[in-house]
Amino acid sequence: MIHKNRPRLYRYGQLSEPVLRRMLERTRKLGYALNDGDLIPEVTGIGVVIPTRFGTPHAALSIVAVNSRLRGARREEIAGSLREEALRISRMLASESTTALA
């Protein structure tokens, strides 16, 4: 998928296939997406998936700030808050879809 879309990556500043692969590996390791100045220097972004009741991605939540605002413990705190909110939304959507089917 990445290789097939390689020509599009360069639209996003410093994004390239190797950079995207490193970012994906980091996402798998951390459990959330992290753009730590990879695309725009001095800008950090964190993203988490909102899963469907089947565990597949439905949507995402993200936050972006200057690097100095999303470092160390603060970054982990924000990632945890995003995960909690994503889970809450996922449960709410699952409940609504179950209600709509009834």
Side-chain angles (χ1 to χ4, degrees), residues 2 8 19 24 39 41-42 44 48 55 62 80 82 84 90 96:
I2 294 171
R8 295 183 175 114
V19 170
L24 286 170
L39 303 180
E42 300 303 317
T44 296
V48 298
S62 63
L82 285 171
E84 289 172 14
S90 178
E96 287 179 6

Side-chain angles (χ1 to χ4, degrees), residues 46-87:
I46 299 170
V48 298
V49 69
I50 300 172
T52 66
R53 63 184 174 160
F54 306 109
T56 57
H58 177 77
L61 291 176
S62 63
I63 188 168
V64 176
V66 294
N67 286 354
S68 62
R69 304 274 303 177
L70 289 174
R71 290 277 175 227
R74 179 70 176 151
R75 181 171 70 199
E76 293 304 317
E77 175 189 353
I78 295 296
S81 294
L82 285 171
R83 280 191 201 117
E84 289 172 14
E85 192 62 21
L87 183 57

Side-chain angles (χ1 to χ4, degrees), residues 4-74:
K4 186 174 183 177
N5 287 290
R6 186 176 8 168
R8 295 183 175 114
L9 298 179
Y10 297 97
R11 296 179 193 170
Y12 302 98
Q14 301 175 34
L15 189 59
S16 65
E17 187 173 350
V19 170
L20 184 54
R21 288 187 186 284
R22 281 193 306 273
M23 291 173 75
L24 286 170
E25 184 59 36
R26 182 171 55 206
T27 296
R28 290 180 183 114
K29 179 181 174 188
L30 295 173
Y32 59 88
L34 174 64
N35 174 356
D36 194 14
D38 299 300
L39 303 180
I40 301 172
E42 300 303 317
V43 176
T44 296
I46 299 170
V48 298
V49 69
I50 300 172
T52 66
R53 63 184 174 160
F54 306 109
T56 57
H58 177 77
L61 291 176
S62 63
I63 188 168
V64 176
V66 294
N67 286 354
S68 62
R69 304 274 303 177
L70 289 174
R71 290 277 175 227
R74 179 70 176 151

Side-chain angles (χ1 to χ4, degrees), residues 90-100:
S90 178
R91 288 178 179 152
M92 183 179 65
L93 292 171
S95 174
E96 287 179 6
S97 67
T98 301
T99 304

